[in-house]
Amino acid sequence: MMSNRKLVQFTVNGNPVEVAIAPRQTLLEVIRDEVDLTGAKEGCSNGNCGSCTVEVDGVTINSCCALGVEMEGRTINTIEGLAPGLDLHPIQQAFMENGGLQCGICTPGFILSTDHLLKMIPNPSEEEIRLYLAGNLCRCTGYDKIVRSVQAAASAMSS
C-alpha cells in the first residue's frame, strides 16, 4: 500500500537512491529489501551483535536500530562499497588470510567497524582493537583471530 510509504532520498556507496519506505522499516530492512544490498546481516534486531553495522555520514551504526525514514539526505556506506570492483580491501584480505571469518554473519560488521577504527587509529594496540570491536559479536571464530586480522590489516594499510 503506497499511501503509508514515504519517499526518501539518500546515497548508498556513492550512488543516489530514492525509495518509498514504510515509516517503521529499519535501515537494515531498507538496505536489504529495497536497495538489494545483502551484506549487512540481521543477527539480533536490537543492536547487540553488530552484524548489521553500516556507516552513516562517517559514523558506524547498527542499522537494525535506525529507521529508514531518518536517512533523508544522508550518506550510507555498506560492506559492498568498501572495495572497488572485484578487488578485496586490505581489511577483507587480512580477515581472509588470518582466519578472522568463518560463517560470515558477523564479518561485514567487523570489517566496517575495523575500517572505522583504522581511520581513527591507524596502528591500534590490541586493547584498543578489543575495546573498539566490543559491539560486534562472533559466535564462531573466537576473538584472537579477529584481533590478528585487524593487526594485519593495520600493518598492510600503513605500508
Side-chain angles (χ1 to χ4, degrees):
M1 196 162 158
M2 193 63 167
S3 62
N4 290 356
R5 294 181 168 262
K6 179 179 180 190
L7 199 58
V8 179
Q9 297 176 347
F10 49 91
T11 301
V12 178
N13 301 328
N15 300 310
V17 173
E18 181 177 88
V19 291
I21 57 178
R24 292 199 283 171
Q25 273 185 288
T26 65
L27 175 57
L28 176 62
E29 293 169 332
V30 171
I31 290 169
R32 290 182 60 83
D33 300 340
E34 309 297 335
V35 184
D36 202 29
L37 296 174
T38 57
K41 305 293 188 234
E42 183 174 352
C44 67
S45 299
N46 62 19
N48 284 313
C49 75
S51 295
C52 67
T53 300
V54 298
E55 187 181 82
V56 177
D57 294 336
V59 177
T60 54
I61 68 162
N62 293 320
S63 62
C64 72
C65 293
L67 294 174
V69 294
E70 297 175 308
M71 298 302 122
E72 178 66 41
R74 300 183 89 178
T75 300
I76 301 164
N77 292 311
T78 69
I79 190 71
E80 291 90 348
L82 190 61
L86 298 176
D87 296 330
L88 292 179
H89 187 279
I91 297 170
Q92 293 168 312
Q93 188 71 37
F95 267 71
M96 187 179 73
E97 290 174 358
N98 292 278
L101 52 93
Q102 284 190 16
C103 82
I105 297 294
C106 68
T107 305
F110 269 106
I111 289 174
L112 284 178
S113 293
T114 297
D115 182 55
H116 195 255
L117 169 63
L118 296 180
K119 286 175 183 170
M120 294 184 311
I121 307 171
N123 191 23
S125 67
E126 180 176 339
E127 182 180 349
E128 289 170 320
I129 294 167
R130 289 182 182 275
L131 181 63
Y132 193 81
L133 297 181
N136 295 81
L137 302 179
C138 176
R139 293 170 179 91
C140 298
T141 65
Y143 295 92
D144 290 331
K145 292 178 182 180
I146 292 170
V147 170
R148 282 197 305 268
S149 298
V150 175
Q151 291 168 329
S155 177
M157 291 170 69
S158 68
S159 60

